[in-house]
Each structure stands twice: as C-alpha cells, then as structure tokens.
Amino acid sequence: MMKKTVSLLLVTLVSCVLAVTARAQLVVEIEGNAQNPTPIAVVPFDWSGSGVLAEDVASIISADLRRSGLFAPVPRDDMLSFPKTPEEVSFRDWRILGTEYVVTGRMQPQAGGYLLSFDLVNIFGQHKMFTKQVTGGAQQLRDVAHRAADEIYEAITGIRGAFGTQMVYVQETQRGGQPSYALMLSDIDGARARQIRRFSAPVMSPSWSPSGQEVAYVSFETGRPAIFRENIHTGARQQLTNFKGLNSSPTWSPDGSKLAMVLSKDGNPEIYVLDLNSGRFTRMTRHFSIDTEPNWMPDGNSLVFTSDRGGKPQIYQLTLATGQVDRLTFDGDYNARPRVSPDGKTLVMVHRSRGVFTIATMDIVSGRMRVLTETRLDESPSIAPNGAMLMYATKRGSKGILAAVSLDAGVKYSLPSQQGNVREPAWSPYFD
C-alpha cells in the first residue's frame, strides 16, 4: 500500500512539473513572411529503432525554417510521397507541387542517444546537394533538429543558421497575490523553457557572456539594484557591484574579460568598465548629463551608449583609447537602447517618432534609418548572432510578450507566454 501511495505521489509530482513547464513555454505565432519564400519539403524521417520518438525531428526542422520567413514548408497532407533517401525522390512529383528543395532523413539509435543522417535535394537542379549527419544524446532530439535546420538554412541562403541558439528573458507572474520574477532560459523558438533563478524583487537587463556559459543581470534582491554574474549550467553566481545609487545595464566585452555598466556611485550616471580579472572599475564618461545603456562594438575598441547630453536621448559612440565621443543618431526625438549587428555595420535601437516607440535600424556609415516594427511600445532589442533577426519586447493589449523581426523587416513572428508577462529578451551567442 505504501509503495502504491509513493508511486502515485511521484506520478502526481511529475505531472505537476510537466504542467508548469508547459505553461512556461512561449508559443510561436507567425505574423509575416518574406516575399516569395522558398518552397521546401521536410519529409517525415525514417526511424529504425523501437517505439515512438519523443519528438518529431522533421517537424521541428520544418518549423525552424518556416519561422525564418525565408521558407514555405510543404504541408505533409500535400506531399505525394514520403521518400527515405535521395534515390527515392521523384523530381516530377515535387515539381508538380512547386517544391524547390526536399529534405529526407533517417533516424537511428546509438549508444546513449541518436544519429540523424539527412539529405538536401535540389528539385529543379535534379541533384543531391549534401548528405550530413548529426548526433545527440537521449534528451537532445530538439538539438539534433535545430542543428540540422542550421545546416539546411546555411546551404541554401549562405548565412549561418541560428536555430540552435537560446535566449534568456524575464518572466513576471503572481504568486500568492504578490509579483514574482524569474530569469528564464529557452530555445530560441521558446521550447524547453526553464527557470534559471526566481526572485521576489525585480530582475532586469540580462546579458550573455561571449562563451554562452554565463549571464550578467541586475537584481533588486538586496533592496537596491546590484549587478550579478551567473553560470547558467551550475548556478554559481557572484555579486559584482554593491554601490549606492544606480547599478545597471551590464554588457560583456567581445572577449569576455570585461563588463561595461552604468554606475552613479560618484553622483551622476556614468559609463564604467569592470575588468573581471582584476576587479578594477574604470570610469569612461564624465558629463553632467545621463549616460546609460552601453553596448560594445564587435571589435571591442569602442562603446555605443544612450545619453541626453544633446537635450534628448540619442546614441553616441565612445572610443575607449582616446575618450572621444561622437553622436550617431539625429532622426527622431528619442533613440535609445543601442545594439550593434555582429558585422558592426548596423545599429539597432528603440526609436520614437511622433510619440510612438518602435524598433529601428540605422546604417552606421550612411546614417540611413529604417523602422522595423509597427507596434507602439517596443523595447529591449537583441540581435541574433548571424545578424538576420532580432528579438524584442512589446505589448499585446496589457500583456508583455516577445516578438522577432528580420533586419530587413520582411519577417515577423511573436512569442506570447502562456503564463505571465515576458520582457527583456537576450539572444545567445553561438555555443561553439
């Protein structure tokens, strides 16, 4: 009787955990695609093992490609056949459907996990482009799928895929009538969301280390803002600041050895750089205005930041070696939260014009500005490591959600949470 009771309790506990995990997931809603997306068919993969796989790998790949906006996957119900190998592909059948590429694959078990062998076939060229293999552990079927999608995406577009990356974000819920805040980690499609740490006080401004092993963030758990760094795998963390006043906006240098941040310990919000090896703080700006929201240029030689030294918030660039400060933005009455594309050519920002907050980009050389979003309260942009997409926070009614848009504004999708409000996304770097 005791064994049955214990078993029942375990089943109930597992069910509760799964239910909480499900509610924590973000749900992808496609809102817009690029013009003339490429038709592609990801055929259901052959499985040579016993039982049923926990994940439909081909379906995940198809969803990844659809979410990029550059591909229009063929629905399975429309497929005329289900080839397992390139040799079984009927070019005539797929041309009838207007399909340009077909992906076939074979899943098989191996010690401690799985092996996927998959092929990319060019229908109009009537040839196989490649056969590749991806392996993963017993709990890594989604990782296997994302890596395969990355390979397919790069082979066709020439751009490295970013489906295998992750994001951290802040989730706010109610617990016992009180607000509760969690720093969350998930796949970039919102799946496999898990809590890194929960707080009873606000947490904000998460920032990835270049290695993808740590995040820095601001927490109010001590009664005032303080900056922490935390290993997302081990949970080990370190409080980096404990100054009176403002401690905010941490961002890692490209080599991971420093953090830029905002401190008001000397009376005014200024940009500082912390050397993580020596623990030394170096003040980088000296101005009576508010200097905030620093972000590193990819070469590590300069910072972009927000300042109202011109009367209204605009974006400036600080050259670290000389201390020279140059204003970058002039269009609109408000430009803030700067982020720089991986190639260093494009500035992404929160832009306000006529009272509306949107996400915009600016070509750093020409100064040409482009508004990417159409909603009214967009903030916290974060760029994918391949520079193709960016994630940002916005509102749907009164609820905070995450959304994504391509840097050419042709692709859009949203990721509303099934539980609570979500905000402040940070897109991870590549993990290799």
Side-chain angles (χ1 to χ4, degrees), residues 131-239:
T131 294
K132 295 191 176 184
Q133 292 185 330
V134 178
T135 61
Q139 305 301 318
Q140 294 182 315
L141 279 173
R142 295 194 71 88
D143 298 294
V144 167
H146 292 321
R147 288 199 293 270
D150 284 341
E151 295 281 3
I152 296 164
Y153 180 89
E154 183 172 6
I156 297 174
T157 68
I159 302 170
R160 185 177 180 183
F163 305 115
T165 54
Q166 295 179 308
M167 64 175 165
V168 293
Y169 57 94
V170 176
Q171 182 180 54
E172 180 182 353
T173 55
Q174 292 288 320
R175 287 194 167 190
Q178 297 295 321
S180 179
Y181 307 88
L183 192 63
M184 303 293 294
L185 171 72
S186 77
D187 291 0
I188 205 62
D189 60 2
R192 295 190 294 189
R194 71 172 178 86
Q195 176 183 299
I196 297 174
R197 189 173 294 272
R198 183 165 291 278
F199 308 82
S200 58
V203 60
M204 59 181 58
S205 304
S207 172
W208 285 89
S209 69
S211 68
Q213 300 299 307
E214 294 183 273
V215 291
Y217 55 86
V218 177
S219 170
F220 285 74
E221 65 194 76
T222 63
R224 62 188 183 197
I227 296 173
F228 292 79
R229 65 187 293 189
E230 180 163 352
N231 187 297
I232 63 173
H233 302 292
T234 67
R237 71 172 185 155
Q238 176 188 9
Q239 184 172 342

Side-chain angles (χ1 to χ4, degrees), residues 211-383:
S211 68
Q213 300 299 307
E214 294 183 273
V215 291
Y217 55 86
V218 177
S219 170
F220 285 74
E221 65 194 76
T222 63
R224 62 188 183 197
I227 296 173
F228 292 79
R229 65 187 293 189
E230 180 163 352
N231 187 297
I232 63 173
H233 302 292
T234 67
R237 71 172 185 155
Q238 176 188 9
Q239 184 172 342
L240 299 175
T241 67
N242 192 33
F243 302 113
K244 292 182 179 179
L246 196 63
N247 300 252
S248 70
S249 304
T251 179
W252 299 78
S253 63
D255 65 1
S257 68
K258 302 178 181 67
L259 274 176
M261 61 187 65
V262 178
L263 304 174
S264 63
K265 66 186 184 69
D266 295 325
N268 197 57
E270 303 283 359
I271 308 298
Y272 287 76
V273 170
L274 167 63
D275 186 299
L276 292 169
N277 295 318
S278 68
R280 180 187 176 191
F281 290 88
T282 302
R283 182 171 170 175
M284 306 307 302
T285 60
R286 295 181 181 275
H287 201 277
F288 59 82
S289 64
I290 296 175
D291 295 335
T292 187
E293 300 175 335
N295 196 251
W296 296 83
M297 291 293 285
D299 61 10
N301 294 325
S302 61
L303 292 165
V304 291
F305 65 98
T306 306
S307 178
D308 64 352
R309 59 182 62 194
K312 294 181 179 180
Q314 295 292 341
I315 296 170
Y316 295 77
Q317 183 172 359
L318 166 67
T319 302
L320 298 178
T322 64
Q324 179 178 334
V325 174
D326 298 298
R327 182 171 169 174
L328 298 181
T329 58
F330 295 89
D331 291 343
D333 58 9
Y334 178 104
N335 292 290
R337 197 63 182 268
R339 296 293 182 265
V340 184
S341 62
D343 61 9
K345 296 180 179 179
T346 304
L347 187 66
V348 176
M349 71 203 78
V350 177
H351 170 76
R352 184 179 68 191
S353 181
R354 299 178 182 177
V356 178
F357 289 92
T358 60
I359 304 299
T361 63
M362 188 191 80
D363 183 287
I364 292 178
V365 174
S366 69
R368 181 171 176 261
M369 185 87 74
R370 179 174 190 170
V371 174
L372 301 183
T373 62
E374 300 172 352
T375 39
R376 299 183 62 86
L377 291 170
D378 301 333
E379 58 183 10
S380 305
S382 181
I383 307 175

Side-chain angles (χ1 to χ4, degrees), residues 87-102:
E87 291 72 28
E88 295 178 5
V89 172
S90 169
F91 296 110
R92 176 181 175 278
D93 287 351
W94 294 106
R95 282 198 299 270
I96 290 174
L97 297 176
T99 309
E100 293 187 33
Y101 299 94
V102 169

Side-chain angles (χ1 to χ4, degrees), residues 40-44 73-83 94 97:
I40 188 170
V42 184
V43 180
V74 176
R76 288 184 180 177
D77 290 345
D78 293 343
M79 295 181 184
L80 302 179
S81 59
F82 300 98
W94 294 106
L97 297 176

